[in-house]
Amino acid sequence: MASSHSSSPVPHPSSGGSEGIFRKDRDPSSRHYRPVHSLPDVCPKEPTGKELGPSVVADQHRWTVYNSKVNLPAALNDPRLAKRESDFFTKTWGLDFAETEVMPSFYLPNITKEHFGPYLQETAQREKIHERCKSICSNKDEMDLEQHTYYLVLDSKINIWLKQIFMKPDFALDDPTTFNAVLPWSHFNSAGGKSSRDMASSRLLQEKLSHYLDVVEVSIARQISLRSEAFFHAMSSQHELQDRLTETARAVAVLRGRAAAIERIMCEGPLRALRQALTRSNCARLHNKLKLMAAVHQSQPTVQLLLSTSEFVGALELIATTKEVLQLELQGIHSFRHLGSQLCEMEKLIDKMMVGDFSMYSRSDLNRSLEDDGLVMEKDRLESLVFGLLRQRKLNFLDIYSDEMILAAKSIVTQVKDQTQSIRTDYLRDHKHLWLADQMRLMTFPQWFELLKSVFENFILFLKRIKVTLSVVRNVVLEALDSNQKSRLLERAAVGGLTEAPGTPLNQEEAELAYLTHEGLFISDALNDAQLHLGASTGQEQSSTVGPRQALSRMDGCGSDSASGTTESSTSREHAFQPGGAAISSSEDLMPSDLELGRVANNIQELLYTASDVSHDRCVKVLMARAKDGSLERLSSAEFVFLSQAVEGFVRDTEKLCCRRSVSLRGALQSQANRFVHRFHEERKTKLSLLLDNERWKQAEVPAEFQDLVNSIADGRITLPDRKPQGTEERKPSDYLHIDGQKYAVVGTVLLLIRIFLEYCQCVNDIPSISTDMLTRLSDLLKHFNSRSCQLVLGAGALQVVGLKTITTKNLALASRCLQLVVHYIPVIRAHFETKLAPKQYSVLRHFDHITKDYNDHIAEISAKLMAIMDSLFEKVLSKYEVKAPMPSACFRNVCKQMAKMHEALYELLPEEQAQMLFLRINASFKMHLKRQLARLGVHHDGGPQHGLVTVDVAFYTENVQSLRALEMLDLNMAEIWEQKR
């Protein structure tokens, strides 16, 4: 086994060697002695001769028989075994087990001698030094070897016998052979009993065992001799240690005596003085606490006194301060164990009282007469209630106000009805049993309209009152929000001052309290004193802050003097808004957060919006009650315009007052406007249809007022003229309608049509919101006129409807001229509607383009109809034409006669340009039919007799046509009747 050398295995360089020779450090307390061999080591725990002394470190790692174990991988991979038995594993692991070759690892490099080259180079110098050290230490080793050899020869025989018996691997005394070898009884056991030989053998065995005992004792003595110096050193160290302990005990006794003297002379007096000072301070604190308890005891009567005068804010501040004092200063006082719960119950009672009082205030404020001059009723009371509700986090008080506001709005209409002077007649007394809606439907329009205007005025006053009241509430909320922010800034400043202040005074107080805790002092009071001292040295702005103790000290007089208590409570709300006041310091956790206060402020604005919406809804009910039986639809245009203007004025006033665009009333008015427009349009469409069905399509006289009407349109006034008084001079009617230098021969229906579309334009002027709908309806009216006139004239519907015998050319020309008049005014109507529409609504103006195209197509069809009449005449007459005397022929005389009739019918109706264009087309048709007849008759332009006869007829035709008025300069170009020679 390894020897227990005490030297370090790491070599150290010697102090004097210049060659860098390393020598082993030697322990001066340990010396080497010659090793003495003992008996064979039968017991593994017994030290052998090679050991120089017992070593705990070495012995605990020595190998013994108990450490014997089998390393299975080492046994399986033993390179000394040529082969193994094939059934080594198959006995237990099965027949499938077979030895396989282990593949070399791909992750391990192939190690060669070159890999150790750098290491050998680094350790070469140290190896040389090690070899030199070995040569220097060889003399000592030789001496030890000689001594060891001496003892080895001395005990060689004994060791040989011990090795043969005791050092056998299978040594066991229970084995008979081993037992007989140790104790050879066979030498002295005989069958006959004890003999002298046996006695001699016994003595020999005893001596032998005695010798073994001597050898062991010698070995033990040798081991003791080897460690004798260590034993003597330990004994000497023990004596020295006892001497030092004695000196230390003597010094400690002297020190304790001096400390006791110092304590008796220097400490007992000052500590007694300090203890008495703290006792006096505690007595003063106890006296203050007793006074504080007396003040707290008077809090309940004071709260009841404040509640009797409706000073809710002062009562709440007093309760909050009392609860804070109970929690911080008087916690654990047995006599006040129920006071906290009583204060909580009183606080809940105050909450209910404040909610009820606010509801009562809202009801009385909203239901009082709207004619009162004062807009805000009991402003101080309202502010106190709002602040108390905010302080108690009753943030739903606006819902109470909203409910009362809705109830008050419902009663306004009834109040207005009772107050309206024009309705207080026998009529209401006769219909008093009817519902309000039924009564409004039975009113005349002037009565109902006066009621509606009064409702609008009262709702405006109602909204102004609500806005002023909510402004007061908003100011209270904003003051609370500003107070929170200021108090937060002061707290940050105070915390910053405490952070920068030195902490020495507080630490000194804590050091004193650490010693005086067992004396039964008030530790919290001492800490509070330390903090007060620290606060006095760091900030002067905190000197004005009133704590709960001082607040209740002042409150002590409130219970005995009711007048002073009431005066103080009445100003508690003002003190609460001061950032440095006591109320904020005591109730900063009770006030709503900035986010909650901001939400309340937003809800106030939303409540104003709700008031506007409620007012509009109530007005809508008034409007719909009247419109239920269609009364509003039967209004005249002027009456509906008055209604629309009144509604628009009320909507504008509410939007300006509440900054809210409510759509309910506008929507109801728009709905009624749509119904009005529908009825308005249907009435005029029906009227136009009746006029067309009774129209005989004869030229009508134009009254002077219609001429004035078109003149005002020409001047840019697209409105109906005012009615003239009855006494004005009557002017004679005219045969034509003069517009922009042209004469229009019209029928009576067209004159009324002009007035009708001016009524449409007037409605758009009065009610701009119906512009789109009115434009669509006007387009429909114009289309209806165009289609119905086409059916009556071109479709000959007037023959059955009116009873005309035939549709003459004069009827056709008159219809065409009426259509041209409508086409003339379509751009004017379009421009007027364009000014009333928003840019995104311009797309509806395309209806006028379609209408213009339809009218022009209708006019062209009438012209084509006139052409068709003459074309059929020419075809019929000229088909019988023969070139023979007398001249002019009867055929040409007939044609000229019909041309003259056509001219007579159209000349007074159509302008000259249109008449000339029409007769040019008629002349072209005549030339075509004549040319065709001449070709059929074989008459050519050859100067023959037939050519001469045709020339006479053509000259007669030309002379008659050019003799007609406005056709003198008409170029007939009659040479086209002859075919050109090729």
Side-chain angles (χ1 to χ4, degrees):
M1 303 304 294
S3 62
S4 59
H5 292 288
S6 61
S7 61
S8 173
V10 180
H12 300 278
S14 61
S15 60
S18 61
E19 298 179 358
I21 300 176
F22 288 83
R23 301 179 183 274
K24 291 184 179 181
D25 292 339
R26 293 183 178 271
D27 189 358
S29 62
S30 62
R31 296 180 181 178
H32 293 278
Y33 296 91
R34 290 186 303 172
V36 179
H37 289 276
S38 62
L39 293 175
D41 191 4
V42 178
C43 180
K45 295 182 179 180
E46 183 180 356
T48 59
K50 296 181 180 180
E51 296 176 346
L52 298 179
S55 177
V56 177
V57 178
D59 290 344
Q60 67 178 351
H61 297 293
R62 293 178 58 190
W63 186 90
T64 63
V65 294
Y66 303 107
N67 297 112
S68 177
K69 62 181 72 174
V70 177
N71 190 349
L72 185 59
L76 295 177
N77 299 294
D78 191 355
R80 294 174 297 179
L81 298 179
K83 70 174 184 175
R84 298 191 299 268
E85 294 182 3
S86 60
D87 60 347
F88 187 82
F89 290 103
T90 56
K91 293 179 181 179
T92 57
W93 289 6
L95 298 175
D96 295 335
F97 180 82
E99 182 180 2
T100 58
E101 182 179 358
V102 179
M103 295 294 293
S105 175
F106 297 100
Y107 301 99
L108 297 178
N110 192 9
I111 304 300
T112 61
K113 188 175 181 180
E114 286 74 10
H115 289 84
F116 298 95
Y119 174 76
L120 294 176
Q121 292 178 1
E122 292 178 0
T123 58
Q125 182 65 25
R126 280 180 279 178
E127 185 181 3
K128 292 179 181 180
I129 295 173
H130 177 68
E131 293 297 334
R132 188 178 300 173
C133 290
K134 286 175 62 178
S135 62
I136 292 174
C137 298
S138 60
N139 296 329
K140 181 180 71 66
D141 294 338
E142 290 177 359
M143 183 177 62
D144 293 341
L145 182 60
E146 290 177 358
Q147 188 177 12
H148 177 69
T149 304
Y150 170 76
Y151 285 102
L152 184 62
V153 174
L154 181 62
D155 297 331
S156 60
K157 294 182 179 181
I158 298 174
N159 288 337
I160 291 173
W161 185 79
L162 291 175
K163 287 180 180 181
Q164 291 178 354
I165 298 176
F166 293 100
M167 301 302 292
K168 292 174 61 176
D170 55 350
F171 175 80
L173 287 177
D174 55 354
D175 186 7
T177 305
T178 303
F179 186 77
N180 292 330
V182 176
L183 298 174
W185 298 105
S186 58
H187 292 274
F188 48 84
N189 282 337
S190 60
K194 298 182 180 180
S195 61
S196 59
R197 184 179 179 181
D198 294 335
M199 295 297 293
S201 299
S202 299
R203 284 195 299 271
L204 181 61
L205 179 60
Q206 185 177 2
E207 291 176 359
K208 189 176 183 179
L209 294 176
S210 299
H211 178 67
Y212 290 164
L213 180 59
D214 294 338
V215 171
V216 171
E217 291 177 352
V218 170
S219 178
I220 291 172
R222 183 175 59 83
Q223 295 295 333
I224 292 174
S225 64
L226 292 175
R227 294 165 175 79
S228 59
E229 186 175 354
F231 291 157
F232 288 122
H233 180 70
M235 292 300 295
S236 60
S237 299
Q238 183 68 22
H239 292 309
E240 183 179 358
L241 181 61
Q242 290 179 356
D243 295 340
R244 290 183 179 179
L245 286 175
T246 302
E247 293 176 359
T248 302
R250 189 181 302 108
V252 168
V254 172
L255 181 61
R256 287 171 65 90
R258 291 179 180 177
I262 291 173
E263 180 181 4
R264 183 178 61 259
I265 297 172
M266 301 180 64
C267 296
E268 285 184 358
L271 285 178
R272 188 181 304 110
L274 180 60
R275 189 178 299 109
Q276 291 177 354
L278 288 177
T279 302
R280 183 179 180 279
S281 176
N282 288 337
C283 291
R285 292 192 183 97
L286 178 60
H287 180 258
N288 292 332
K289 285 187 181 294
L290 291 175
K291 292 194 298 182
L292 189 61
M293 290 174 63
V296 169
H297 183 66
Q298 292 294 327
S299 61
Q300 282 184 302
T302 307
V303 168
Q304 294 175 359
L305 179 62
L306 293 174
L307 292 180
S308 63
T309 58
S310 298
E311 291 291 340
F312 300 111
V313 179
L316 289 173
E317 294 295 339
L318 180 56
I319 290 174
T321 306
T322 305
K323 290 171 66 175
E324 184 179 2
V325 170
L326 285 175
Q327 184 178 3
L328 299 179
E329 302 288 341
L330 303 178
Q331 189 175 9
I333 303 298
H334 186 71
S335 59
F336 291 150
R337 64 186 183 278
H338 301 303
L339 182 58
S341 59
Q342 293 172 359
L343 292 175
C344 291
E345 292 298 328
M346 294 181 69
E347 192 171 5
K348 293 179 181 178
L349 177 62
I350 293 174
D351 292 346
K352 295 180 180 179
M353 293 177 65
M354 284 194 301
V355 171
D357 198 4
F358 182 78
S359 178
M360 186 182 304
Y361 173 85
S362 303
R363 189 180 304 111
S364 59
D365 179 55
L366 294 171
N367 291 322
R368 62 191 171 98
S369 177
L370 295 172
E371 299 176 356
D372 293 346
D373 295 333
L375 293 176
V376 181
M377 182 183 69
E378 300 180 12
K379 182 178 178 181
D380 295 338
R381 177 187 175 190
L382 176 60
E383 291 178 347
S384 177
L385 284 172
V386 172
F387 180 75
L389 292 170
L390 289 176
R391 190 183 181 283
Q392 294 303 107
R393 294 181 176 270
K394 299 295 181 182
L395 305 181
N396 58 344
F397 66 93
L398 294 178
D399 298 336
I400 300 173
Y401 192 83
S402 177
D403 296 338
E404 296 295 338
M405 177 188 67
I406 294 173
L407 294 176
K410 291 181 179 179
S411 62
I412 285 180
V413 179
T414 305
Q415 294 175 4
V416 171
K417 180 184 69 67
D418 296 337
Q419 294 171 1
T420 304
Q421 298 294 331
S422 63
I423 305 177
R424 292 179 183 175
T425 60
D426 296 335
Y427 163 78
L428 283 182
R429 288 193 293 270
D430 297 339
H431 301 86
K432 192 173 182 180
H433 62 282
L434 297 177
W435 293 96
L436 179 60
D438 298 330
Q439 293 178 9
M440 285 191 291
R441 283 192 288 272
L442 293 176
M443 296 177 188
T444 62
F445 179 75
Q447 290 177 337
W448 177 82
F449 189 65
E450 183 180 357
L451 173 65
L452 182 64
K453 290 193 296 184
S454 300
V455 168
F456 286 164
E457 293 174 359
N458 281 270
F459 270 117
I460 292 296
L461 296 176
F462 181 68
L463 291 176
K464 287 182 179 179
R465 176 174 297 174
I466 292 175
K467 183 175 182 180
V468 174
T469 302
L470 292 181
S471 299
V472 175
V473 176
R474 183 187 293 108
N475 291 335
V476 174
V477 174
L478 294 180
E479 286 180 9
L481 183 62
D482 185 62
S483 176
N484 284 354
Q485 294 175 354
K486 289 182 179 179
S487 62
R488 191 160 51 250
L489 291 176
L490 288 178
E491 288 176 1
R492 291 177 182 174
V495 170
L498 289 175
T499 304
E500 296 174 0
T504 306
L506 184 60
N507 294 333
Q508 288 179 352
E509 294 287 342
E510 291 178 350
E512 294 175 0
L513 290 173
Y515 179 77
L516 299 173
T517 302
H518 66 282
E519 297 295 334
L521 303 177
F522 292 106
I523 300 178
S524 60
D525 293 338
L527 285 175
N528 289 335
D529 284 346
Q531 292 176 354
L532 288 175
H533 291 309
L534 179 60
S537 62
T538 55
Q540 296 180 356
E541 70 277 359
Q542 299 178 0
S543 60
S544 61
T545 303
V546 183
R549 184 193 303 273
Q550 288 79 1
L552 281 180
S553 298
R554 291 190 314 217
M555 194 193 308
D556 191 10
C558 298
S560 58
D561 190 355
S562 60
S564 62
T566 306
T567 303
E568 183 179 357
S569 61
S570 63
T571 59
S572 58
R573 191 181 68 83
E574 286 76 4
H575 290 300
F577 280 129
Q578 298 174 3
I584 288 298
S585 63
S586 63
S587 62
E588 59 184 355
D589 295 335
L590 298 178
M591 289 298 295
S593 62
D594 293 351
L595 180 61
E596 292 174 335
L597 291 175
R599 191 179 296 114
V600 171
N602 294 333
N603 292 338
I604 292 173
Q605 187 63 36
E606 291 295 332
L607 185 58
L608 185 60
Y609 295 158
T610 304
S612 176
D613 294 340
V614 168
S615 301
H616 281 248
D617 293 341
R618 301 311 302 177
C619 294
V620 167
K621 290 185 179 296
V622 175
L623 195 66
M624 299 310 294
R626 179 71 178 180
K628 188 174 183 181
D629 58 350
S631 300
L632 297 182
E633 300 176 16
R634 294 190 294 271
L635 296 178
S636 65
S637 301
E639 291 174 341
F640 195 85
V641 167
F642 292 152
L643 174 62
S644 176
Q645 291 175 351
V647 171
E648 287 293 334
F650 174 72
V651 171
R652 285 194 301 269
D653 292 341
T654 55
E655 288 179 358
K656 183 179 179 181
L657 188 63
C658 303
C659 302
R660 167 82 167 191
R661 183 179 177 84
S662 298
V663 297
S664 58
L665 187 57
R666 271 201 177 100
L669 179 64
Q670 184 66 37
S671 175
Q672 293 303 317
N674 294 336
R675 294 181 182 179
F676 169 77
V677 168
H678 178 73
R679 183 199 56 80
F680 179 89
H681 174 67
E682 290 299 326
E683 287 181 356
R684 280 145 184 80
K685 187 176 180 180
T686 303
K687 183 178 180 180
L688 182 62
S689 298
L690 292 175
L691 291 173
L692 288 172
D693 291 342
N694 294 315
E695 182 62 57
R696 302 189 66 85
W697 297 99
K698 292 182 179 181
Q699 185 178 359
E701 293 182 347
V702 179
E705 58 267 20
F706 280 96
Q707 185 61 49
D708 295 338
L709 188 64
V710 296
N711 292 338
S712 66
I713 294 175
D715 295 338
R717 297 189 300 272
I718 315 297
T719 58
L720 290 173
D722 298 334
R723 293 183 179 272
K724 295 183 178 181
Q726 297 292 334
T728 58
E729 181 182 357
E730 293 185 1
R731 293 178 294 173
K732 293 182 179 180
S734 174
D735 294 333
Y736 298 96
L737 192 64
H738 298 274
I739 302 174
D740 295 339
Q742 291 190 16
K743 298 188 301 181
Y744 285 90
V746 294
V747 297
T749 303
V750 174
L751 295 176
L752 293 176
L753 179 62
I754 294 175
R755 185 175 182 86
I756 287 173
F757 69 67
L758 284 179
E759 291 177 353
Y760 278 80
C761 295
Q762 182 67 41
C763 281
V764 171
N765 291 336
D766 297 331
I767 314 173
S769 60
I770 62 174
S771 299
T772 305
D773 196 10
M774 193 64 77
L775 186 149
T776 305
R777 303 305 174 97
L778 180 57
S779 301
D780 180 67
L781 185 72
L782 295 175
K783 289 179 181 178
H784 176 70
F785 175 78
N786 185 36
S787 61
R788 188 58 182 164
S789 61
C790 181
Q791 293 172 3
L792 293 173
V793 179
L794 284 177
L799 300 179
Q800 292 81 19
V801 176
V802 186
L804 296 179
K805 295 181 181 179
T806 182
I807 302 298
T808 63
T809 54
K810 193 170 186 178
N811 298 139
L812 292 172
L814 195 59
S816 175
R817 198 59 177 157
C818 291
L819 293 174
Q820 292 174 18
L821 178 62
V822 176
V823 171
H824 173 77
Y825 279 113
I826 286 178
V828 179
I829 299 171
R830 176 193 175 107
H832 178 73
F833 273 91
E834 189 173 359
T835 60
K836 305 300 179 182
L837 295 175
K840 62 181 179 180
Q841 297 175 332
Y842 285 168
S843 59
V844 298
L845 296 174
R846 67 181 184 276
H847 294 300
F848 291 113
D849 299 332
H850 299 159
I851 293 171
T852 303
K853 181 178 180 302
D854 294 340
Y855 272 73
N856 290 328
D857 293 343
H858 191 186
I859 294 171
E861 289 177 1
I862 293 175
S863 299
K865 183 64 176 178
L866 294 174
M867 279 291 304
I869 293 173
M870 296 304 296
D871 187 74
S872 62
L873 176 65
F874 293 150
E875 184 179 4
K876 180 180 179 181
V877 173
L878 292 177
S879 62
K880 300 177 181 179
Y881 175 63
E882 294 180 356
V883 183
K884 62 181 180 179
M887 293 296 168
S889 62
C891 179
F892 269 78
R893 288 193 182 97
N894 191 12
V895 169
C896 291
K897 180 180 178 180
Q898 296 298 328
M899 291 283 283
K901 288 183 178 180
M902 173 70 75
H903 180 267
E904 183 181 0
L906 299 180
Y907 177 75
E908 299 295 336
L909 300 179
L910 298 178
E912 292 184 3
E913 295 81 4
Q914 293 185 18
Q916 291 176 1
M917 291 298 299
L918 178 62
F919 275 94
L920 281 176
R921 294 173 62 188
I922 292 173
N923 180 60
S925 175
F926 172 75
K927 290 189 292 184
M928 182 188 65
H929 287 287
L930 180 59
K931 183 177 182 180
R932 189 180 301 164
Q933 183 65 22
L934 293 176
R936 187 183 303 114
L937 295 176
V939 180
H940 301 285
H941 191 276
D942 53 1
Q946 289 186 339
H947 175 263
L949 293 176
V950 171
T951 303
V952 173
D953 284 338
V954 169
F956 175 76
Y957 168 79
T958 302
E959 182 180 357
N960 277 275
V961 171
Q962 291 183 347
S963 65
L964 300 175
R965 284 180 296 179
L967 300 181
E968 295 86 357
M969 305 302 296
L970 194 65
D971 185 10
L972 300 180
N973 194 13
M974 297 305 295
E976 294 180 354
I977 64 176
W978 304 106
E979 292 185 357
Q980 300 293 332
K981 291 184 179 180
R982 297 179 181 177

